[in-house]
Amino acid sequence: MRPLRTFFVRPTLPTVLSPLRDLAYNLAWAWNVDALDIFRRLDGDLWGATGHNPVRMLGLVSQERLRQAAEDDGFLAQLERVTQWFRTYTQAKRTWFDRVGVGDAKPLIAYFSFEYGLTECLPIYSGGMGVLAGDHLKSASDLGVPVVGVGLAYQEGYFQQYLNVDGWQGELYPDNDFYTMPMALELDAAGRPVTIGVEYPGRRIAAQVWRVQVGRVPLLLLDANLPENDPHDRLVTDRLYGGDPDMRIRQEILLGIGGMRALAAVGAQPTVCHMNEGHAAFLALERIRQLVHEHGVSFAEAAEVVETSNIFTTHTPVAAGIDYFGADLIGAYFSEYVRELGISVDDLLALGRQRADDPSEPFCMAVLAVRLSAYVNGVSKLHSQVSRQMWHNLWPGLPASESPITSVTNGVHLATWLAARDLAPLYDRYLSPRWREDPSDRRIWEGVQEIPDEELWRTHERCRERLVGYTRSLLRRTMERQGATPHEINRATEALDPAALTIGFARRFATYKRAMLLFRDPDRLAQLLGDRARPVQILIAGKAHPQDTPGHETIRQLIHLMRRDEFRGRIVFLVNYGVEMARYLVQGVDLWLNTPRRPLEASGTSGMKVAMNGGLNVSVLDGWWCEGYRPDLGWAVGRGEEYPDPETQDEVEARALYELLEKNIVPLFYDRGPDGLPRGWIARMKASIAGITPVFNTHRVVGEYTQRFYLPAHAAYRRLSEDGFAPARSLAAWRQRVRETWPQVRVVDVSVDGPEVLAVGDSLHVLARIRLGPLRPDEVLVQVLHGPVTAEGEIGTSNVVTMTLGEEACRGEAAFGTALVCAQSGLHGFLVRVLPRHPDLPDPFEPRLVVWSQ
């Protein structure tokens, strides 16, 4: 039965405990151990039973317990300390951003993501990309970067995993009760919930706006589960990554277009927008529409402003992971919308196609994001190379290696993932006090060498013991739910050895992750795990997407293999992988295993979390590990080879992994001196902490985005918006003029001055005569690409030198020259190219026009 009316009941707190309510509704508690302790101390059992949800806990805790806490001097003293920290943190006057920012004219960066992994009691995430988004907001808060997050409030979120007796994954979708979670409805001046609307074919749907406060950063989440919406449309914010293409396009319209409208509804006017993957690409259209509607500019003029202040981060190294929509679906959803943009549906389709004039090509969200973003990046150096190959057709005439897709390698939020009760006190004693605020300073982490081996090892052993205790408890609960016998339950509670070498493997069960690589030779693995003198155990966790049948089958095979007698108690599968489980794993394992099929791992972040906690990595050289690996801090499976035959690749790399484990890793772990310490292993632990932590953290990531993208994008937005958008109008007119006259541009002649054979250090003078047509010399950029010539007759790794204007010739021609310095011997070659140039152009490649010498 549906209620006649609804009302919200707040917990009743004694006045002296009222700060608990403010703490509960700001997720800063999620990465502060003292704040976590205050809730745990209030009622530890209830804290666990509510899934570490302080809002729900405060609504359930007994009034008697609240009265006791209000009279407990020790509790009140701790609450005062936490409250003082909270005030100081949220009201800080001078942050990192204030020191590097742009003075009074601060930007506002809107960060859009389909999912956010912030804490276990807010299950609106599925995996690594969501956790990265959550860590991004946390570091933005710590650094004071003016960011506002935008996402969707999923009623069911991602699924909870269970396994049947055959090991087949099943999915449960429990409802999220937003009113008992650390989020609150955004209210207008009259106290009514803020709502926005977006148009679907023949109807308009409404969504209300929830706010999640992440330290200093607000996160706005859109919720379409409202009575005024059609039942089918209420499901738009039902599940994460669920449904068919029609459901997906409705979700992405709500995220991108609705998200921009939600920002406007709460009075937030972003000058920069950051798309975390292509799901939010429709925001670019809405930004353009708002400028067209509010300022009377044309689509082309508005696009200049929007494009120069958009950032697009791609996470996907394969086309199958990108969202594509058919032309009929785009036409159905945007036939009315494009009229407000002043373009046609065909114009919109062209923006989402690599070959703009190919009607057979579907509309691609990533292509739309690339075309309408001045800054495009992958999430590791290798991933940016893969992305340049994927999308090089968007820059016709350019070699794939020069496609303007850069990289910002991922990181993790130190305070969230570090073992705060164990390692943090150790770091406090032996490192500079600035390790929390400035984790990217390499000099700070050199102090890890000062930590006594005994202290570091005993601390890590406590973390491993805690992981084993957590695993046993989880296994017991799982078996009780499955109706296991008392004997089976008791065996489960004796699983694992708290002192054994513990390997962790946890990730999404996509086939390219190769979860079965370690199990390719079960007999060899059994021999490795069964050595009584040097025991080894493996913890495995992860989910398969509900529609990924091969992923389900992989889990089933793994469960059946684990049931073999030689593996019982030595291999454990942890069901329903999530944020809480991940913390135990990354803090407690000795070794983190990662076996993707190169180059399909865009980045990965779990191994970074392990490293900051003193664990070591063994991984294929893919994603972030290509940059993080050094022989003194971990192990590499192979040397970065890529095989045309996947079966051969699996066989070769499985053997290499066994060799590493048998001959290097296990012996090093058990090589103990008279004091029982594995000093060689500890040396690698220290090298790993010091080498990986200062580089692969989100303070460095957010700082890099801020200085490389956010601040330049904000400056460009302000510049193009001046004087009623006059610079944007001028740039749009210039672009149109260049596009029309570009066919007249060509390299007429190239001459060189120098001997045929040069010595290293000599210079070769190059002169190019360029036909410009009606363009001025300062409207073009003339460059020489030079480098060694490969066996195939191509210029390999090229160097780029910009040529300077010489004497201007008649009839629309100009001469440009430069000197090439010969830095190495061998056969070399060069080419000359011409690109358009404008002071407000974010990148000379962006107009996608280039002329080469013939």
Side-chain angles (χ1 to χ4, degrees):
M1 292 185 299
R2 302 188 68 84
L4 175 64
R5 286 184 297 179
T6 61
F7 53 91
F8 177 57
V9 181
R10 279 185 175 275
T12 301
L13 295 177
T15 302
V16 72
L17 299 183
S18 60
L20 286 172
R21 185 180 293 110
D22 292 335
L23 287 171
Y25 278 95
N26 190 313
L27 292 186
W29 58 258
W31 67 94
N32 181 280
V33 67
D34 292 328
L36 287 165
D37 278 343
I38 201 71
F39 292 114
R40 187 179 287 108
R41 182 171 177 174
L42 182 63
D43 191 325
D45 292 339
L46 197 54
W47 177 248
T50 59
H52 304 164
N53 180 348
V55 174
R56 180 165 170 74
M57 190 188 83
L58 291 178
L60 295 175
V61 67
S62 70
Q63 292 300 129
E64 174 60 21
R65 176 64 192 115
L66 291 173
R67 184 191 62 77
Q68 293 172 357
E71 297 174 357
D72 183 338
D73 290 341
F75 184 88
L76 294 177
Q78 184 178 359
L79 178 58
E80 174 58 30
R81 289 195 302 272
V82 172
T83 304
Q84 183 58 47
W85 160 80
F86 181 70
R87 289 197 199 100
T88 302
Y89 178 81
T90 56
Q91 300 173 15
K93 302 298 183 185
R94 186 76 175 162
T95 66
W96 172 87
F97 183 80
D98 292 318
R99 297 193 295 271
V100 303
V102 290
D104 295 334
K106 278 191 174 183
L108 178 62
I109 300 101
Y111 182 91
F112 284 67
S113 181
F114 221 32
E115 54 174 303
Y116 289 92
L118 290 156
T119 180
E120 54 265 34
C121 73
L122 198 63
I124 54 170
Y125 62 92
S126 72
M129 191 182 77
V131 172
L132 173 76
D135 283 7
H136 191 100
L137 295 193
K138 292 173 184 177
S139 279
S141 171
D142 290 342
L143 297 172
V145 180
V147 168
V148 54
V150 181
L152 300 181
Y154 299 103
Q155 192 67 54
E156 295 181 350
Y158 206 54
F159 66 90
Q160 291 188 7
Q161 178 192 52
Y162 70 92
L163 302 180
N164 67 15
V165 292
D166 189 43
W168 192 261
Q169 173 185 287
E171 295 90 27
L172 296 172
Y173 292 89
D175 272 349
N176 288 324
D177 181 3
F178 298 148
Y179 290 95
T180 60
M181 296 168 71
M183 53 197 293
L185 280 172
E186 193 76 12
L187 304 178
D188 62 18
R192 298 182 300 254
V194 171
T195 62
I196 59 94
V198 295
E199 293 74 26
Y200 293 159
R203 64 201 188 276
R204 180 180 174 87
I205 76 153
Q208 61 187 2
V209 182
W210 293 87
R211 176 188 288 254
V212 177
Q213 196 63 36
V214 187
R216 302 181 180 107
V217 169
L219 168 61
L220 305 181
L221 301 175
L222 300 180
D223 171 19
N225 186 18
L226 300 178
E228 55 264 45
N229 289 332
D230 179 273
H232 188 52
D233 289 329
R234 294 182 68 168
L235 298 178
V236 168
T237 53
D238 189 35
R239 293 180 181 178
L240 173 61
Y241 299 128
D244 57 11
D246 183 73
M247 175 61 76
R248 180 62 65 86
I249 197 171
R250 283 187 289 147
Q251 287 183 323
E252 296 185 356
I253 287 171
L254 182 59
L255 175 63
I257 295 176
M260 287 302 303
R261 294 178 182 179
L263 290 167
V266 301
Q269 297 181 322
T271 57
V272 177
C273 286
H274 184 171
M275 296 171 252
N276 189 43
E277 197 45 274
H279 309 113
F282 291 137
L283 75 82
L285 300 180
E286 179 63 11
R287 291 189 78 192
I288 292 171
R289 189 199 67 81
Q290 290 176 358
L291 291 179
V292 169
H293 176 71
E294 296 169 10
H295 299 280
V297 295
S298 68
F299 177 90
E301 292 161 353
E304 296 293 353
V305 181
V306 168
E307 180 182 339
T308 199
S309 56
N310 275 350
I311 295 101
F312 170 48
T313 297
T314 175
H315 292 259
T316 309
V318 290
I322 303 292
D323 285 334
Y324 290 88
F325 299 117
D328 56 341
L329 207 55
I330 295 296
Y333 277 90
F334 286 93
S335 60
E336 296 297 324
Y337 187 87
V338 293
R339 295 179 185 176
E340 296 187 55
L341 295 174
I343 61 173
S344 67
V345 171
D346 286 340
D347 293 332
L348 175 56
L349 288 169
L351 288 172
R353 290 168 170 161
Q354 290 205 58
R355 296 174 298 278
D357 56 352
D358 183 356
S360 66
E361 185 179 334
F363 183 92
C364 176
M365 294 296 284
V367 172
L368 177 66
V370 171
R371 286 193 184 277
L372 293 177
S373 298
Y375 305 93
V376 182
N377 71 280
V379 289
S380 70
K381 291 180 180 177
L382 178 60
H383 179 230
S384 70
Q385 296 173 18
V386 173
S387 298
R388 285 193 285 271
Q389 292 290 336
M390 287 179 65
W391 307 117
H392 74 273
N393 287 333
L394 289 171
W395 294 273
L398 279 184
S401 61
E402 284 204 290
S403 301
I405 300 177
T406 184
S407 66
V408 178
T409 302
N410 283 346
V412 297
H413 186 246
L414 181 66
T416 294
W417 299 105
L418 187 70
R421 289 179 178 79
D422 299 290
L423 273 172
L426 208 58
Y427 292 167
D428 284 337
R429 285 199 298 275
Y430 294 100
L431 305 184
S432 161
R434 294 187 301 106
W435 70 268
R436 297 173 190 269
E437 289 74 31
D438 193 10
S440 300
D441 188 340
R442 290 176 179 268
R443 295 168 299 177
I444 292 174
W445 295 95
E446 293 171 1
V448 169
Q449 299 299 333
E450 303 302 318
I451 301 175
D453 288 358
E454 297 87 347
E455 286 194 59
L456 182 59
W457 185 246
R458 301 307 176 210
T459 299
H460 176 67
E461 285 190 313
R462 284 197 302 274
C463 293
R464 190 195 312 119
E465 290 163 3
R466 191 174 291 113
L467 169 61
V468 170
Y470 170 82
T471 300
R472 290 173 173 175
S473 175
L474 187 65
L475 287 175
R476 182 183 186 90
R477 294 197 302 271
T478 300
M479 299 199 73
E480 286 173 346
R481 284 195 298 268
Q482 293 175 344
T485 66
H487 175 68
E488 291 172 324
I489 293 172
N490 288 334
R491 284 186 62 183
T493 57
E494 297 173 356
L496 305 180
D497 178 353
L501 170 60
T502 302
I503 301 174
F505 180 95
R507 52 203 15 95
R508 183 164 50 90
F509 268 74
T511 52
Y512 80 87
K513 302 282 190 179
R514 297 193 298 179
M516 297 300 292
L517 190 70
L518 181 60
F519 302 91
R520 193 172 177 89
D521 187 338
D523 295 333
R524 190 171 180 180
L525 180 62
Q527 188 174 7
L528 179 71
L529 302 188
D531 187 338
R532 293 182 180 273
R534 303 189 303 186
V536 179
Q537 57 200 12
I538 305 171
L539 292 174
I540 303 172
K543 300 176 179 180
H545 187 279
Q547 298 171 8
D548 181 6
T549 301
H552 284 69
E553 179 59 30
T554 300
I555 293 176
R556 193 190 70 84
Q557 291 177 12
L558 184 59
I559 297 300
H560 280 255
L561 189 67
M562 287 166 45
R563 290 173 178 167
R564 290 172 46 164
D565 288 340
E566 59 267 39
F567 293 138
R568 285 188 183 273
R570 296 187 176 94
I571 305 176
V572 173
F573 187 93
L574 300 175
V575 178
N576 202 34
Y577 185 46
V579 168
E580 180 187 18
M581 185 185 294
R583 278 199 303 270
Y584 279 99
L585 282 168
V586 301
Q587 293 170 9
V589 298
D590 300 294
L591 185 72
W592 194 254
L593 174 64
N594 191 26
T595 53
R597 179 172 285 114
R598 178 185 164 110
L600 301 182
E601 179 89 298
S603 173
T605 57
S606 297
M608 306 171 189
K609 300 163 191 169
V610 171
M612 66 172 57
N613 284 289
L616 302 182
N617 280 270
V618 56
S619 174
V620 171
L621 285 171
D622 197 7
W624 80 278
W625 193 233
C626 295
E627 301 163 51
Y629 168 70
R630 289 200 326 249
D632 63 323
L633 52 76
W635 293 272
V637 179
R639 298 179 180 178
E641 302 92 344
E642 296 176 19
Y643 297 78
D645 176 32
E647 184 68 20
T648 300
Q649 183 175 5
D650 291 354
E651 180 63 27
V652 169
E653 292 182 345
R655 290 183 181 180
L657 178 57
Y658 289 132
E659 289 281 319
L660 282 173
L661 288 167
E662 293 165 349
K663 297 181 179 179
N664 298 93
I665 296 171
V666 176
L668 184 67
F669 184 84
Y670 285 105
D671 181 12
R672 312 291 173 97
D675 55 5
L677 297 176
R679 294 195 180 271
W681 187 275
I682 295 170
R684 282 181 180 254
M685 289 173 64
K686 291 182 176 181
S688 179
I689 294 169
I692 291 174
T693 307
V695 179
F696 299 99
N697 65 80
T698 43
H699 277 41
R700 187 271 306 161
V701 172
V702 173
E704 197 171 338
Y705 275 114
T706 299
Q707 294 183 311
R708 290 178 55 193
F709 302 156
Y710 295 165
L711 293 180
H714 169 68
Y717 179 91
R718 292 189 66 203
R719 187 171 61 250
L720 292 178
S721 303
E722 291 173 347
D723 300 326
F725 294 88
R729 298 176 193 272
S730 173
L731 180 58
W734 173 86
R735 189 190 295 267
Q736 180 64 24
R737 181 168 61 86
V738 168
R739 190 176 292 116
E740 292 171 352
T741 60
W742 195 252
Q744 301 179 45
V745 176
R746 68 184 180 92
V747 180
V748 177
D749 179 64
V750 177
S751 60
V752 295
D753 181 13
E756 292 186 6
V757 179
L758 297 97
V760 172
D762 287 350
S763 294
L764 186 70
H765 294 273
V766 180
L767 186 68
R769 194 157 50 90
I770 310 299
R771 179 164 297 164
L772 300 174
L775 296 180
R776 301 189 309 271
D778 64 345
E779 293 180 305
V780 297
L781 185 68
V782 184
Q783 297 177 327
V784 177
L785 273 72
H786 68 99
V789 176
T790 66
E792 292 78 23
E794 304 282 339
I795 296 177
T797 303
S798 60
N799 302 294
V800 179
V801 177
T802 297
M803 305 181 78
T804 57
L805 178 65
E807 183 178 349
E808 190 170 347
C810 58
R811 297 189 305 279
E813 291 186 359
F816 295 80
T818 191
L820 305 182
V821 178
C822 304
Q824 64 184 84
S825 60
L827 181 63
H828 288 248
F830 72 86
L831 286 168
V832 173
R833 72 179 175 201
V834 187
L835 301 163
R837 173 158 59 181
H838 189 281
D840 288 326
L841 201 62
D843 188 291
F845 298 140
E846 188 272 327
R848 297 172 173 84
L849 300 172
V850 61
V851 170
W852 292 90
S853 55
Q854 299 296 316

